[in-house]
Amino acid sequence: MNKVFLFTALLFLSVHGFAQKSQPDPKYKLISGGNYVQSKNYYLLTLFNQVPELKKMLVSDPVLSKIGSGKQAGFADAVKSCGKDVGCYIRAAKFTDEEIRNVGARLGELYRADNELGKLVANHLIPSGCYSLYAEMSGREMLTRVWEQDAKAVNYTISVYAEGQKPNYAQIDSISFNVRDKSYPELMALNTGLSAAEAKKEGLFFSPSLIFALHSLEMNERNRAADEEPLAETVNKVAYDYSKKIKWEQYRYTLILVPGAGPEERDTELSAGGMLRCRLAALQYQDGLAPYIMVSGGCVHPFKTKYNEALEMKKFMVGVLHIPEHAILVEPHARHTTTNLRNCARLIFRYGFPMDKPFLTSTAASQSYYITDIVPGRSKKELGYLPYRNGKRFSDTEAEIYPLAVSLQIDFDEPMDP
């Protein structure tokens, strides 16, 4: 009887202990190294560089060092021989399929549950939630899959913002340059040489390609992923600090989400739709349904606009509608409805708000039904997962949404809002 009880208890602990370890931790603090564009897009590569003992391990490994030396040599050769051939620079900058396989294989060989790579998986990759889709895999497999994702993300950035390939949303996210212009190869040569020089200081096998990708975003003025970061210390500081005073049981919802409605005119700060959505949310806030209104939307419409939808809505909320600043949370990165919902779920989790309580979407009827009926399928197709589940419909313009922690998963092919 005692043996049966002991076996049952151990089985329970092993199963539930493993499940618990595979879940993200709301207390986990993301590591940025001060570069939010890099850390939000390529978190594994950021950790490789920012965790001292781990970096030491990777730099000293002869196999990875040889791969890095080969990459450096390829960059140097490109500067000398590519001339006016833009594609030549691009091929040198991207990770090849062989390089991705070889690095993944070596990381798998080096991995041990009790060494620095094992600690990386247990102490960072899983609790961060940034790679939630792989969290149920073995530590070794998760590590290699995460490496493949980050390498793929670097290549995607180079494809769009150096090579000029079409992004997911070409009207708003395309490259700023004409890659066929006769002066463009010189920019590529300069980026290649500079990236190689900067990478030597870091000494990591992936640095030349990563730095080339980051320079490409910067050249195109596409560092939007860093806008207002860290949010809890800038535009959301007052509201985030206020959360410590909230008694959540007094509210039906955690917050009221207002998706942005970008104007099409370059000099228009806030669209008419944005104003009306703000007013609709203000009514629900004033009725005491939630302690917060979250305004969501980045610098989206028109192409390379200087106006941020969320920041302009906050100005309208405070200045015109007289909603207190402590009641307004800003999500300034979303570029379409799918990520309005995903990014809201992310902030709820990161800020330690209740994940079992729904939030309320407040918008035009057409978008409200789009959120409940269309966006779930679109999310599965574009993100690879569903970042929320539908609750009850409150009205034609408002619907309940339950956030899901899988929303923390990085999207490899949206470098302005990964």
Side-chain angles (χ1 to χ4, degrees):
M1 180 70 175
N2 288 338
K3 288 183 179 180
V4 173
F5 176 81
L6 179 60
F7 174 79
T8 303
L10 289 173
L11 179 63
F12 177 88
L13 287 174
S14 65
V15 171
H16 289 268
F18 177 79
Q20 185 175 11
K21 287 182 180 179
S22 70
Q23 298 301 311
D25 183 355
K27 295 181 181 180
Y28 177 83
K29 301 300 181 184
L30 293 166
I31 296 173
S32 71
N35 188 334
Y36 292 96
V37 174
Q38 176 180 311
S39 63
K40 290 174 71 173
N41 277 284
Y42 325 107
Y43 194 53
L44 174 70
L45 304 187
T46 300
L47 292 170
F48 279 169
N49 197 22
Q50 293 295 319
V51 179
E53 291 304 313
L54 176 61
K55 181 177 181 179
K56 182 179 178 181
M57 175 186 183
L58 299 177
V59 169
S60 63
D61 181 70
V63 175
L64 295 177
S65 295
K66 184 178 180 180
I67 293 172
S69 297
K71 204 65 181 173
Q72 283 279 9
F75 269 57
D77 184 63
V79 173
K80 292 178 181 178
S81 61
C82 285
K84 298 293 184 180
D85 184 356
V86 171
C88 179
Y89 297 107
I90 300 302
R91 288 189 293 274
K94 286 183 180 180
F95 295 113
T96 66
D97 291 342
E98 183 180 12
E99 287 168 342
I100 294 173
R101 285 195 302 271
N102 289 343
V103 169
R106 184 55 179 168
L107 291 175
E109 291 171 358
L110 292 173
Y111 175 88
R112 299 287 184 277
D114 59 352
N115 70 6
E116 294 303 321
L117 288 172
K119 294 175 186 176
L120 169 74
V121 172
N123 299 336
H124 294 284
L125 299 189
I126 291 174
S128 72
C130 292
Y131 304 96
S132 294
L133 293 180
Y134 317 122
E136 297 294 342
M137 297 177 178
S138 68
R140 178 176 285 104
E141 185 179 5
M142 182 181 188
L143 176 63
T144 57
R145 289 291 295 274
V146 169
W147 151 249
E148 289 168 1
Q149 175 178 308
D150 272 23
K152 188 177 180 181
V154 168
N155 282 356
Y156 180 87
T157 297
I158 295 171
S159 291
V160 174
Y161 293 107
E163 190 175 8
Q165 294 295 317
K166 185 179 178 180
N168 295 323
Y169 301 92
Q171 288 187 328
I172 57 174
D173 294 340
S174 296
I175 192 173
S176 302
F177 299 94
N178 178 1
V179 299
R180 294 181 178 84
D181 188 276
K182 63 181 181 180
S183 64
Y184 191 67
E186 186 174 17
L187 279 178
M188 292 296 96
L190 184 57
N191 189 3
T192 304
L194 183 60
S195 297
E198 292 181 7
K200 284 184 179 179
K201 296 181 179 180
E202 292 188 0
L204 287 159
F205 63 91
F206 58 83
S207 294
S209 297
L210 173 61
I211 294 172
F212 186 96
L214 293 172
H215 285 170
S216 298
L217 287 170
E218 183 178 65
M219 288 163 49
N220 283 274
E221 299 177 309
R222 293 302 197 177
N223 282 343
R224 300 258 70 111
D227 286 353
E228 309 299 331
E229 293 287 5
L231 299 181
E233 298 176 22
T234 59
V235 291
N236 285 342
K237 179 173 173 48
V238 174
Y240 178 69
D241 290 346
Y242 179 72
S243 68
K244 301 175 180 64
K245 303 177 182 179
I246 294 174
K247 296 180 179 179
W248 292 103
E249 67 275 8
Q250 296 179 354
Y251 297 96
R252 184 172 175 179
Y253 304 108
T254 50
L255 55 86
I256 303 159
L257 174 66
V258 185
E264 294 302 329
E265 301 79 18
R266 184 164 296 278
D267 295 326
T268 301
E269 299 176 14
L270 180 62
S271 70
M275 295 178 189
L276 293 176
R277 294 178 190 189
C278 287
R279 288 188 176 277
L280 184 63
L283 289 176
Q284 304 300 352
Y285 168 77
Q286 289 161 350
D287 282 344
L289 291 183
Y292 289 119
I293 297 172
M294 180 182 288
V295 287
S296 173
C299 296
V300 184
H301 298 282
F303 182 76
K304 296 191 77 171
T305 179
K306 63 181 179 180
Y307 295 114
N308 182 283
E309 294 174 5
L311 295 178
E312 295 304 325
M313 286 193 290
K314 179 178 179 179
K315 289 180 186 176
F316 184 77
M317 285 274 193
V318 173
V320 178
L321 303 184
H322 307 296
I323 303 298
E325 186 179 7
H326 72 249
I328 302 174
L329 288 162
V330 173
E331 188 291 298
H333 302 117
R335 305 190 69 75
H336 44 79
T337 306
T338 305
T339 49
N340 285 137
L341 276 294
R342 182 203 65 184
N343 293 356
C344 179
R346 285 179 174 180
L347 286 184
I348 288 173
F349 184 92
R350 295 292 186 204
Y351 289 176
F353 298 172
M355 290 291 287
D356 58 352
K357 186 184 287 287
F359 62 91
L360 188 69
T361 56
S362 183
T363 184
S366 60
Q367 189 180 39
S368 184
Y369 283 99
Y370 183 74
I371 286 170
T372 56
D373 300 350
I374 305 298
V375 172
R378 183 176 159 186
S379 295
K380 289 180 181 179
K381 179 180 178 181
E382 297 181 9
L383 302 176
Y385 60 89
L386 185 62
Y388 65 91
R389 64 178 177 86
N390 289 327
K392 298 177 182 178
R393 176 158 289 281
F394 191 72
S395 71
D396 282 343
T397 55
E398 289 125 339
E400 294 180 348
I401 300 292
Y402 287 85
L404 299 177
V406 70
S407 61
L408 303 174
Q409 168 72 37
I410 293 172
D411 186 5
F412 81 94
D413 63 353
E414 288 290 340
M416 283 189 282
D417 183 27

